[in-house]
Amino acid sequence: MFVTPHFVEGDAKLEKLFELLTKGLPNFLAKIEKRVAGRKWIVGDRITCADFVLGALLTSTVANENNPNYYAMAHIVKSYPAVCAFIENFKAEMKDYLASRPACPF
Protein backbone atom coordinates (compact mmCIF):
# COMPACT_ATOMS: atom_id res chain seq x y z
CA MET A 1 0.00 0.00 0.00
CA PHE A 2 2.74 2.49 0.95
CA VAL A 3 5.23 1.75 -1.81
CA THR A 4 3.02 0.86 -4.79
CA PRO A 5 2.70 4.51 -5.94
CA HIS A 6 6.50 4.58 -6.36
CA PHE A 7 6.48 1.70 -8.86
CA VAL A 8 3.70 2.61 -11.26
CA GLU A 9 3.50 5.39 -13.83
CA GLY A 10 0.97 7.82 -15.26
CA ASP A 11 -2.68 7.54 -14.33
CA ALA A 12 -2.08 4.31 -12.41
CA LYS A 13 0.35 6.19 -10.14
CA LEU A 14 -2.22 8.90 -9.42
CA GLU A 15 -4.93 6.31 -8.78
CA LYS A 16 -2.75 4.36 -6.34
CA LEU A 17 -1.66 7.52 -4.57
CA PHE A 18 -5.26 8.77 -4.33
CA GLU A 19 -6.35 5.38 -2.96
CA LEU A 20 -3.53 5.43 -0.40
CA LEU A 21 -4.23 8.97 0.81
CA THR A 22 -8.03 8.74 0.90
CA LYS A 23 -8.67 5.16 2.00
CA GLY A 24 -5.66 3.02 2.81
CA LEU A 25 -3.68 5.35 5.05
CA PRO A 26 -6.63 6.67 7.09
CA ASN A 27 -7.95 3.13 7.63
CA PHE A 28 -4.52 1.86 8.67
CA LEU A 29 -3.87 4.80 11.00
CA ALA A 30 -7.32 4.48 12.61
CA LYS A 31 -6.54 0.87 13.52
CA ILE A 32 -3.11 1.77 14.89
CA GLU A 33 -4.57 4.75 16.78
CA LYS A 34 -6.89 2.41 18.71
CA ARG A 35 -4.04 0.03 19.49
CA VAL A 36 -1.55 2.60 20.80
CA ALA A 37 -3.95 5.06 22.46
CA GLY A 38 -2.86 5.64 26.05
CA ARG A 39 0.30 3.57 25.65
CA LYS A 40 3.91 4.28 24.87
CA TRP A 41 4.32 0.96 23.04
CA ILE A 42 1.99 -1.51 21.35
CA VAL A 43 2.26 -4.12 24.11
CA GLY A 44 3.17 -3.16 27.65
CA ASP A 45 5.74 -0.70 28.91
CA ARG A 46 8.77 -1.94 26.98
CA ILE A 47 9.57 -1.83 23.29
CA THR A 48 8.95 -5.17 21.53
CA CYS A 49 9.43 -6.65 18.07
CA ALA A 50 5.95 -5.41 17.15
CA ASP A 51 7.03 -1.85 17.96
CA PHE A 52 10.12 -2.22 15.78
CA VAL A 53 8.04 -3.46 12.84
CA LEU A 54 5.47 -0.69 13.15
CA GLY A 55 8.05 1.97 13.96
CA ALA A 56 10.20 0.98 10.98
CA LEU A 57 7.18 1.11 8.68
CA LEU A 58 6.05 4.51 9.95
CA THR A 59 9.49 6.13 10.01
CA SER A 60 10.25 4.79 6.55
CA THR A 61 7.00 6.03 5.01
CA VAL A 62 4.69 8.55 6.68
CA ALA A 63 7.38 10.08 8.92
CA ASN A 64 10.15 10.06 6.29
CA GLU A 65 10.83 13.53 4.91
CA ASN A 66 12.58 11.94 1.91
CA ASN A 67 9.34 10.30 0.84
CA PRO A 68 7.95 12.33 -2.08
CA ASN A 69 4.47 12.01 -0.54
CA TYR A 70 5.61 13.00 2.95
CA TYR A 71 3.70 16.28 3.22
CA ALA A 72 0.43 14.77 2.04
CA MET A 73 0.85 11.88 4.48
CA ALA A 74 1.94 14.15 7.35
CA HIS A 75 -1.25 16.14 6.90
CA ILE A 76 -3.27 12.95 7.41
CA VAL A 77 -1.12 11.53 10.24
CA LYS A 78 -1.53 14.65 12.39
CA SER A 79 -5.20 13.69 12.82
CA TYR A 80 -4.08 10.66 14.85
CA PRO A 81 -2.44 11.93 18.05
CA ALA A 82 -1.65 8.50 19.51
CA VAL A 83 0.08 7.49 16.28
CA CYS A 84 2.05 10.76 16.34
CA ALA A 85 3.10 10.05 19.94
CA PHE A 86 4.12 6.50 18.99
CA ILE A 87 6.23 7.84 16.11
CA GLU A 88 7.95 10.33 18.44
CA ASN A 89 8.60 7.60 21.04
CA PHE A 90 10.07 5.36 18.37
CA LYS A 91 12.21 8.17 16.95
CA ALA A 92 13.56 8.91 20.43
CA GLU A 93 14.34 5.25 21.03
CA MET A 94 16.07 4.89 17.66
CA LYS A 95 17.59 8.38 17.36
CA ASP A 96 21.17 7.21 16.79
CA TYR A 97 20.19 4.83 14.02
CA LEU A 98 17.74 7.25 12.39
CA ALA A 99 20.39 9.98 12.38
CA SER A 100 22.88 7.75 10.58
CA ARG A 101 20.70 5.76 8.18
CA PRO A 102 20.99 6.47 4.48
CA ALA A 103 18.41 8.85 3.04
CA CYS A 104 15.93 7.04 0.82
CA PRO A 105 12.32 7.66 -0.24
CA PHE A 106 10.95 4.68 1.76
Side-chain angles (χ1 to χ4, degrees):
M1 170 177 70
F2 290 102
V3 297
T4 301
H6 297 285
F7 294 103
V8 292
E9 298 294 327
D11 290 344
K13 182 178 190 116
L14 293 175
E15 288 173 19
K16 290 295 183 184
L17 186 57
F18 180 78
E19 184 179 319
L20 170 65
L21 296 175
T22 61
K23 296 177 187 168
L25 185 59
N27 288 339
F28 174 74
L29 293 174
K31 290 175 183 171
I32 300 303
E33 180 78 6
K34 288 179 186 176
R35 185 70 184 142
V36 298
R39 302 178 184 167
K40 182 174 182 179
W41 304 113
I42 295 173
V43 181
D45 298 333
R46 295 179 9 189
I47 195 167
T48 65
C49 290
D51 298 299
F52 281 107
V53 171
L54 180 60
L57 174 66
L58 293 173
T59 58
S60 296
T61 56
V62 300
N64 179 357
E65 292 183 13
N66 295 308
N67 182 334
N69 304 311
Y70 168 75
Y71 293 102
M73 290 182 174
H75 179 71
I76 295 166
V77 172
K78 71 180 182 180
S79 299
Y80 300 89
V83 172
C84 291
F86 177 85
I87 291 170
E88 292 308 312
N89 289 336
F90 187 77
K91 283 181 172 181
E93 186 75 22
M94 300 298 296
K95 68 181 174 189
D96 293 338
Y97 168 73
L98 292 172
S100 66
R101 77 177 177 177
C104 64
F106 52 86

